[in-house]
């Protein structure tokens, strides 16, 4: 039996994660990644399937599926040792461009002037990514996208959805304001967690450290907190918007796969993270064109009435 989501729970979870992100950000990051990384990917894919699966033409899902398969092969090649990370990064950016191109094409077929204005802004954003690539900063682009991915629940849930009795969008806005408050608190207080000294840093943090000279520890705590809130939103909050049978769909298999990957993480962290990146890359890249359709309003013009759950 699932417990009802309450304001007290949100307050306690927010306080606990904020405290841990301040005093021990990197250990918290490692534990969260190992225990909740793959579960959150599988839960989120299931949520997208049952929330949006029937509301776009099947051809769109097929096109996205083929493109995402190419991206997965690129990352799988790195795990198998056949390809370099440079090749994989190039495939990542290329497939993202193709995914967004499908979204852009869908939107440009619509007749709304306002819609085309929004799509023009999207095109400018894609152009910005292209210019960054011209400066040979492909890793920076990918890592910025990885950081922004933590906040995707804010854009995926719809205004009419509820986490039990709590408005979904308002709840997520309050939760995801915490990382910014934590950053501000640390910068004002000057506190520096001992666990960040001579401790292993994820790739995102290493890159960030070269660009953020002042307040790096504050930003690090904020990013770790945002990732933990992302996991909490996907695993606990967002499933509450689905019917009970949709929540339980494939859950046993997901738990088994997650347990096996956790054992792999414990045995060989670096290679396990490469394998995990195959799944995490697919789910992150799927969200971006979907969010583009939602933000520009294309989705509402293409959506079909839902008649049940369909697989993307």
């Amino acid at each position: 039996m699932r417990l009802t989501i309450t304001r007290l729970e949100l307050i306690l979870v927010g306080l606990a994660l904020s405290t841990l992100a301040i005093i021990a950000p990197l250990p918290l990051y490692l534990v969260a990644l190992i225990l909740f990384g793959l579960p959150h990917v599988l839960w989120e894919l299931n949520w997208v399937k049952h929330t949006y699966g029937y509301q776009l033409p099947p051809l769109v899902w097929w096109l996205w599926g083929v493109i995402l398969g190419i991206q997965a092969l690129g990352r799988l090649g790195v795990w198998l040792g056949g390809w370099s990370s440079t090749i994989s990064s190039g495939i990542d950016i290329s497939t993202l461009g193709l995914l967004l191109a499908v979204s852009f094409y869908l939107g440009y077929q619509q007749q709304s002037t306002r819609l085309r204005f929004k799509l023009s802004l999207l095109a400018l954003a894609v152009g910005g990514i292209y210019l960054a690539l011209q400066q040979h900063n492909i890793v920076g682009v990918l890592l910025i996208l990885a950081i922004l991915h933590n906040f995707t629940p804010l854009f995926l849930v719809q205004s009419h959805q509820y986490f039990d009795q709590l408005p979904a969008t308002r709840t997520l806005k309050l939760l995801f304001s915490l990382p910014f408050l934590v950053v501000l608190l640390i910068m004002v207080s000057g506190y520096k967690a001992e666990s960040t000294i001579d401790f292993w840093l994820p790739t995102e943090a290493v890159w960030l450290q070269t660009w953020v000279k002042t307040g790096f520890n504050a930003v690090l705590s904020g990013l770790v907190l945002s990732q933990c809130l992302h996991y909490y939103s996907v695993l606990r909050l967002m499933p509450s918007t689905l019917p009970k049978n949709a929540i339980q769909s494939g859950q046993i298999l997901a738990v088994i796969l997650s347990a096996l990957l956790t054992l792999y993480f414990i045995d060989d962290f670096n290679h396990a993270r490469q394998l995990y990146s195959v799944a995490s890359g697919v789910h992150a890249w799927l969200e971006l064109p979907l969010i583009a359709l939602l933000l520009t309003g294309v989705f509402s013009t293409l959506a079909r009435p839902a008649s049940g759950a369909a697989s993307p």
Side-chain angles (χ1 to χ4, degrees):
M1 181 178 178
R2 187 179 65 83
L3 296 176
T4 301
I5 298 168
T6 64
R7 289 185 177 85
L8 178 61
E9 175 190 332
L10 294 172
I11 292 171
L12 292 176
V13 169
L15 284 174
L17 290 178
S18 297
T19 301
L20 290 171
I22 291 173
I23 64 177
L26 293 174
L28 175 61
Y29 169 85
L30 285 175
V31 172
L33 176 66
I34 292 172
L35 294 181
F36 304 115
L38 185 59
H40 111 273
V41 169
L42 299 176
W43 259 249
E44 191 158 2
L45 288 174
N46 182 62
W47 185 87
V48 169
K49 167 185 173 181
H50 288 93
T51 303
Y52 295 113
Y54 253 115
Q55 300 184 55
L56 286 178
L59 180 60
V60 175
W61 293 116
W62 278 106
L63 284 173
W64 283 351
V66 171
I67 297 169
L68 290 170
I70 296 172
Q71 187 224 23
L73 287 175
R75 295 195 175 197
L76 196 60
V78 175
W79 177 65
L80 293 173
W83 290 348
S84 68
S85 58
T86 302
I87 294 176
S88 177
S89 296
I91 293 174
D92 276 345
I93 285 295
S94 300
T95 51
L96 177 60
L98 289 173
L99 290 166
L100 291 175
V102 172
S103 298
F104 186 87
Y105 176 78
L106 286 172
Y108 206 74
Q109 300 307 302
Q110 312 307 309
Q111 300 301 317
S112 168
T113 303
R114 181 181 298 178
L115 179 58
R116 295 203 174 185
F117 172 73
K118 291 180 180 179
L119 286 166
S120 299
L121 295 180
L122 174 61
L124 287 175
V126 174
I129 293 176
Y130 174 77
L131 290 176
L133 296 180
Q134 291 296 97
Q135 300 300 316
H136 306 290
N137 199 13
I138 185 170
V139 175
V141 172
L142 291 174
L143 293 179
I144 288 175
L145 290 173
I147 291 170
L148 293 177
H149 171 257
N150 291 335
F151 298 90
T152 54
L154 285 165
F155 305 101
L156 287 172
V157 299
Q158 302 177 63
S159 58
H160 67 270
Q161 291 180 311
Y162 278 75
F163 300 145
D164 291 331
Q165 302 300 316
L166 304 175
T169 52
R170 185 187 304 172
T171 299
L172 289 177
K173 286 177 182 178
L174 290 173
L175 271 180
F176 281 95
S177 68
L178 290 176
F180 299 98
L181 295 176
V182 163
V183 170
L184 181 61
L185 177 62
I186 295 176
M187 293 189 73
V188 170
S189 65
Y191 176 79
K192 183 176 182 179
E194 292 184 7
S195 62
T196 60
I197 301 173
D198 298 326
F199 200 92
W200 171 85
L201 287 173
T203 307
E204 298 93 328
V206 173
W207 177 84
L208 189 67
Q209 198 171 29
T210 64
W211 291 91
V212 181
K213 303 299 182 181
T214 303
F216 168 73
N217 290 286
V219 175
L220 178 64
S221 290
L223 291 178
V224 170
L225 177 57
S226 67
Q227 177 164 312
C228 291
L229 291 174
H230 179 93
Y231 291 167
Y232 174 67
S233 299
V234 170
L235 292 169
R236 171 65 172 150
L237 301 181
M238 291 164 65
S240 67
T241 66
L242 301 177
K244 185 177 180 180
N245 64 327
I247 297 175
Q248 295 174 343
S249 176
Q251 204 168 62
I252 295 177
L253 178 60
V255 170
I256 293 173
L257 292 175
S258 299
L260 290 174
L261 186 62
T262 296
L263 293 175
Y264 191 15
F265 265 118
I266 295 172
D267 179 64
D268 187 344
F269 178 82
N270 289 327
H271 283 95
R273 196 175 186 222
Q274 288 178 344
L275 181 59
Y276 165 68
S277 75
V278 177
S280 65
V282 167
H283 106 285
W285 260 214
L286 173 61
E287 290 174 354
L288 291 174
L290 183 58
I291 288 173
L293 293 181
L294 290 167
L295 288 179
T296 56
V298 177
F299 191 92
S300 60
T301 65
L302 292 172
R304 299 178 298 160
S307 57
S311 176

